Amino acid sequence: MSYKVSSICLKVLSVAAFLLLLQPAKAQYNWTQLDAELQAKQKLLGDNVVAMVWKGDSLLYKKEMGGFNSKTQAPIASCSKWLTAALVMQFVDEGKLSLDDKVVKYIPEFEKYFKNYITIRQCLAHMTGIESPEGGFLKNLMERRKFSTLEEEVNAFAARKIRANPGTDFWYSSIGLNIAGRVIEVISKKKFDVIIKQKLFTPLGMTKTTFAAAENGGPVNPSGGAKSTADDYMKFLVMLLNKGKYNGVQVLSENAVNEMRKVQNSVEQIKYAPKSAEGYTYASGSWVVEKKTDTLTVIHEGDARPNPYYMPVSTATSLASPGLFGTWPMIDYCRGYAYIVFVKNLLGEERADAHRQLKKLVDEQIPTVCR
């Protein structure tokens, strides 16, 4: 009898010791302030809110408010751009495309209008120089209804005036990412919504994410036409955070992920950006929230510069791709976490400030490894 009691005691002590070992990992985070801030800003964010924080292989934080949960599907507007840029990088990985390829190589219509020098890289970074009509979201929505296919829309872009030489200034719009999406259609010989599901969404298990054509008319929209869920989009963020790997599958190469972190413009080159993103530079499909600058040594011949030539190169340490409807996905590489606040409410400057305040509260819980 005494042997059985002792055996049970040992088992209980072993379990207790194991739980004590686990406790520091949980106890190092205190989300009380984040909870309180989300509750205080719930109405501002649109009442229906899902917030999630992921680090390493663990979901650290999840809060569902109002009528939304992490499986609720909603339009994500410009958060779509990050997805489209990742699809382009998959084709780069496969050797079917180079970021420095000229668009005209795939869409001859651009030669007809003397736009031979626009590159895929410039498309992903809003540096095409093609004129974007003023009037904002509603006017662009009405404009898109004129077209039945992405091909028709992009051919119309080719016919527009050039506002600036490609690569010289930044103008945030749907033009560049939709051109890139059409290039993918040409290479793959498949519709954009079909190929992105096949190559990106299915490997990531993003079963409730789609780029189906707009219900209110117009063609598929690579720059802003996706619907998704907080769960689905977090899978995409985790893949980028983990150097292109998700659930043991290399969806993107590490080189491709690093390429997507390269800063593509300077603040001085920005001629138009939404108020919520003013002061930020841009990478490929996402805004640069924080960055580091390194010096690249270039050996060259035949010009008057000193040899070797030292060139500054900036890499994003934190990226975000906020959408017009308020959803704010972000990756902080220095702290090693992915974050999303998933909502459906127009993103104004006041709401953008709210998202930045929420990030600060997350940062307080997760120390940086960057110096």
Side-chain angles (χ1 to χ4, degrees):
M1 186 70 176
S2 62
Y3 171 77
K4 288 182 178 178
V5 172
S6 298
S7 177
I8 291 169
C9 286
L10 283 171
K11 287 178 180 177
V12 171
L13 286 169
S14 297
V15 171
F18 178 69
L19 291 174
L20 283 171
L21 284 172
L22 287 180
Q23 187 155 354
K26 293 287 184 182
Q28 66 178 316
Y29 303 111
N30 182 346
W31 301 114
T32 305
Q33 283 188 287
L34 183 58
D35 273 335
E37 191 72 11
L38 280 166
Q39 287 167 356
K41 289 183 164 43
Q42 181 177 359
K43 187 173 182 180
L44 174 67
L45 294 171
D47 290 320
N48 301 313
V49 183
V50 180
M52 299 169 70
V53 180
W54 187 289
K55 181 174 171 61
D57 58 0
S58 301
L59 181 65
L60 299 186
Y61 178 85
K62 181 177 179 179
K63 190 172 185 67
E64 298 168 325
M65 300 160 63
F68 271 19
N69 61 48
S70 61
K71 300 184 186 304
T72 303
Q73 187 190 59
I76 59 171
S78 285
C79 307
S80 308
K81 291 177 171 65
W82 216 349
L83 303 174
T84 297
L87 177 66
V88 170
M89 294 310 302
Q90 286 183 307
F91 279 78
V92 173
D93 277 344
E94 294 168 5
K96 297 175 181 176
L97 178 68
S98 166
L99 289 181
D100 295 315
D101 281 349
K102 306 294 192 295
V103 170
V104 71
K105 177 180 177 180
Y106 306 97
I107 308 175
E109 191 80 3
F110 279 76
E111 185 171 21
K112 180 178 173 182
Y113 295 97
F114 309 104
K115 296 181 178 68
N116 295 11
Y117 301 105
I118 298 170
T119 67
I120 307 299
R121 185 188 304 278
Q122 290 160 355
C123 289
L124 298 185
H126 303 288
M127 304 278 282
T128 65
I130 295 174
E131 187 174 70
S132 181
E134 296 180 3
F137 172 73
L138 289 176
K139 183 170 183 179
N140 286 331
L141 187 66
M142 296 300 295
E143 184 76 16
R144 297 195 80 249
R145 289 182 182 178
K146 298 178 184 177
F147 310 111
S148 59
T149 66
L150 185 58
E151 178 181 11
E152 288 179 6
E153 181 184 30
V154 170
N155 285 348
F157 290 159
R160 286 186 184 175
K161 294 179 180 178
I162 281 286
R163 187 195 67 261
N165 289 333
T168 60
D169 78 6
F170 174 99
W171 191 288
Y172 188 76
S173 73
S174 64
I175 293 173
L177 273 295
N178 280 10
I179 293 171
R182 174 57 189 156
V183 167
I184 295 302
E185 285 192 336
V186 171
I187 295 171
S188 66
K189 297 182 172 58
K190 294 180 180 179
K191 295 298 183 184
F192 180 83
D193 54 322
V194 173
I195 192 66
I196 196 166
K197 179 180 179 181
Q198 176 188 323
K199 291 186 68 66
L200 190 64
F201 300 158
T202 298
L204 289 172
M206 297 172 67
T207 57
K208 294 189 72 176
T209 303
T210 177
F211 267 95
E215 294 172 3
N216 52 5
V220 66
N221 183 5
S223 70
K227 293 180 181 178
S228 190
T229 70
D231 277 346
D232 268 15
Y233 207 100
M234 181 57 80
K235 292 174 182 178
F236 172 71
L237 297 176
V238 169
M239 179 271 291
L240 291 180
L241 180 63
N242 292 330
K243 302 179 181 179
K245 186 175 286 188
Y246 185 80
N247 274 353
V249 177
Q250 198 73 44
V251 179
L252 269 181
S253 71
E254 186 174 344
N255 284 341
V257 175
N258 290 339
E259 184 64 47
M260 291 178 72
R261 293 175 58 188
K262 290 182 180 178
V263 180
Q264 299 294 333
N265 66 338
S266 65
V267 173
E268 292 74 23
Q269 288 177 311
I270 298 175
K271 303 305 177 187
Y272 169 73
K275 286 188 176 180
S276 59
E278 283 180 355
Y280 294 152
T281 49
Y282 205 79
S284 295
S286 61
W287 294 93
V288 177
V289 179
E290 296 166 342
K291 64 185 177 182
K292 64 175 182 179
T293 302
D294 298 314
T295 301
L296 180 66
T297 302
V298 180
I299 306 297
H300 62 91
E301 295 179 2
D303 62 34
R305 289 176 298 178
N307 202 359
Y309 173 60
Y310 301 102
M311 181 173 67
V313 176
S314 295
T315 302
T317 57
S318 181
L319 291 166
S321 188
L324 176 68
F325 299 127
T327 289
W328 193 290
M330 187 189 62
I331 297 173
D332 190 318
Y333 285 97
C334 281
R335 292 175 172 83
Y337 74 80
Y339 157 102
I340 189 167
V341 174
F342 193 93
V343 301
K344 186 184 176 184
N345 192 20
L346 291 181
L347 178 65
E349 180 59 27
E350 189 178 8
R351 296 183 187 93
D353 287 341
H355 284 293
R356 286 188 276 263
Q357 290 165 18
L358 291 169
K359 181 187 185 303
K360 287 180 181 178
L361 293 176
V362 178
D363 289 352
E364 288 173 5
Q365 297 299 315
I366 305 174
T368 181
V369 297
C370 294
R371 296 289 180 266

